[in-house]
Amino acid sequence: MENKLQATIDIGSHSCILLIAAFEDAPATAPAETANPEVETPAASSEAPVAPRKILVPKLQKVEVCRLGEDIYEHGKITPERIQELVNIMTKFRMDLHALGADLKAVAMTEAMRKATNPDEVIEAVEKAVWVKPRVITGEEEGKLTYRSVKEWHGEGNITIDIGGGSTELSNGDTTFSIPVGALKMFKAMGPIPGPEYKKFIKETFKDLSFKGMTKKPVYLIGGTGTALAMVFLNSQTFDYKAIEGLEMSLADLEAVTTRITNLSKELRAMLPGLGNGRHEVIICGLFWLRSLLEKLRVETFKISTAGLRFGLLYPPEKEPEPKPKKRPAFLKKTDATSETAIPEQVGDDK
């Protein structure tokens, strides 16, 4: 029998995240007596009961800062010192896995490893530490898996924004794309608080991007930037995914939190909820970038989700949609009930 506890590890540009979770029955829908009393309730169906839908419920989540993106920015590769730091983090994760008896199903590596010139060296070191070979995934795959994780909890029709350390993924389920912009990458280029150069940076970044089909739709923000924003907004000293999941904020709320953080010194900023372990250095860049994305998507409010790539890795692959049948050419369409086909008239043939 397969272990109920399953795990994944997400190795990003700024941090590494361990998820240990289990598939459980989704909460039952509200009983009929709580519905609108003016609406008549249909008679109970005689059909066999349907098995409850399974959802992924987190049991343990751990975040460790690794800053692989710094090495990419400065050296183009992951240095031996950084690899050793990563191995130390992975070793701690493996100890948690063994302590809880969880099965590690997947280890994914994102933007930093997509850009590194020595990925094989890092992959080998991580595999030795956790006994599972990590996989470097594309930006599009990262965005699709993130969208899947949100869809399983909140349904379809949403836009997901996953702001990481080195890249940002957007998806509406049909269209997914990755932008090579992240909070850590911006911090290395502009410092903790973007200045006048940000306006030019945004203009260049959005120059060739199209948000067609994504505007004026419900938005879910994913990733460390979103979690930190929620914890500061709620003034919550500890991470509580139940309190954060689905939290709705407005652009005015975002502006107020950004101003509050920006007005603090670096030392005081690090004492705010959710801004430890180096997050205080990159958070303002992430919030500037978020504001620009929301303006492009033309929304006034957004919600925060604690789901993400690490959850999407545990869901079984979805079936690819069947291709739509091609339309028959006009000259092959039936002309009458005898099923004869029309023959195109030859024009201009004077041979």
Side-chain angles (χ1 to χ4, degrees):
M1 182 176 178
E2 188 176 18
N3 195 328
K4 182 180 178 181
L5 291 179
Q6 302 179 34
T8 60
I9 296 175
D10 172 5
I11 300 177
S13 298
H14 179 76
S15 57
C16 303
I17 309 176
L18 167 67
L19 167 69
I20 298 178
F23 282 98
E24 298 181 356
D25 294 344
T29 55
E33 58 266 28
T34 63
N36 187 342
E38 297 180 2
V39 179
E40 187 175 346
T41 303
S45 172
S46 59
E47 295 180 2
V50 179
R53 187 173 71 90
K54 297 288 186 180
I55 60 171
L56 201 54
V57 179
K59 302 300 180 181
L60 175 70
Q61 299 189 72
K62 282 197 171 182
V63 180
E64 294 280 353
V65 173
C66 59
R67 287 182 177 256
L68 300 182
E70 281 192 355
D71 277 6
I72 301 302
Y73 185 85
E74 295 172 1
H75 310 289
K77 67 176 185 177
I78 310 302
T79 61
E81 294 78 16
R82 193 77 70 178
I83 292 175
Q84 186 57 52
E85 290 178 13
L86 182 59
V87 166
N88 293 341
I89 293 171
M90 293 299 108
T91 301
K92 287 193 289 184
F93 283 176
R94 191 188 76 232
M95 292 172 66
D96 291 324
L97 291 166
H98 286 184
L100 294 176
D103 293 333
L104 181 58
K105 295 295 186 181
V107 181
M109 310 177 90
T110 56
E111 181 66 9
M113 293 307 301
R114 291 195 283 264
K115 295 290 178 64
T117 58
N118 60 334
D120 292 341
E121 183 181 356
V122 184
I123 289 171
E124 182 180 358
V126 170
E127 183 178 9
K128 287 181 179 179
V130 295
W131 307 346
V132 170
K133 186 174 183 178
R135 184 166 61 92
V136 180
I137 63 174
T138 66
E140 183 178 1
E141 186 178 3
E142 183 180 358
K144 287 181 176 179
L145 289 169
T146 296
Y147 178 85
R148 173 73 183 279
S149 69
V150 173
K151 186 184 81 169
E152 292 290 337
W153 281 0
H154 301 288
E156 298 181 303
N158 303 305
I159 307 298
T160 55
I161 303 176
D162 183 3
I163 299 179
S167 67
T168 298
E169 285 69 43
L170 286 89
S171 180
N172 64 1
D174 296 321
T175 302
T176 302
F177 58 89
S178 180
I179 308 171
V181 174
L184 178 60
K185 192 172 183 179
M186 289 175 62
F187 166 72
K188 297 303 293 184
M190 304 181 201
I193 304 177
E197 73 277 12
Y198 182 72
K199 189 174 182 180
K200 181 181 178 182
F201 162 78
I202 283 298
K203 185 177 180 181
E204 287 295 315
T205 301
F206 286 148
K207 182 173 61 176
D208 299 320
L209 289 176
S210 171
F211 292 86
K212 185 178 179 181
M214 292 190 173
T215 57
K216 297 184 178 180
K217 293 185 178 180
V219 170
Y220 278 89
L221 173 64
I222 318 297
T225 297
T227 300
L229 170 62
M231 290 180 69
V232 174
F233 179 69
L234 296 172
N235 197 29
S236 175
Q237 296 294 332
T238 58
F239 172 78
D240 180 359
Y241 89 92
K242 292 182 179 179
I244 295 174
E245 190 62 40
L247 173 68
E248 186 169 20
M249 296 181 63
S250 65
L251 289 180
D253 294 330
L254 172 61
E255 190 69 30
V257 173
T258 304
T259 301
R260 177 188 171 192
I261 297 174
T262 304
N263 288 340
L264 295 175
S265 66
K266 181 173 69 172
E267 291 75 20
L268 290 176
R269 202 179 300 149
M271 297 174 65
L272 287 176
L275 300 189
N277 295 326
R279 179 71 64 182
H280 68 286
E281 294 182 337
V282 304
I283 185 64
I284 298 174
C285 288
L287 297 181
F288 268 61
W289 174 230
L290 171 61
R291 176 63 187 250
S292 298
L293 288 170
L294 294 174
E295 288 175 348
K296 274 291 182 181
L297 294 172
R298 299 166 66 187
V299 294
E300 295 295 326
T301 63
F302 61 98
K303 293 182 179 180
I304 294 174
S305 176
T306 59
L309 169 62
R310 61 194 182 280
F311 287 86
L313 289 165
L314 284 178
Y315 286 108
E318 291 184 301
K319 291 182 179 180
E320 291 292 330
E322 295 183 5
K324 296 180 179 180
K326 295 181 180 179
K327 292 183 178 180
R328 291 167 61 88
F331 64 84
L332 290 180
K333 290 183 178 178
K334 295 179 181 180
T335 57
D336 54 36
T338 61
S339 300
E340 294 179 353
T341 56
I343 304 299
E345 219 177 276
Q346 293 184 345
V347 179
D349 189 357
D350 298 328
K351 289 183 181 178

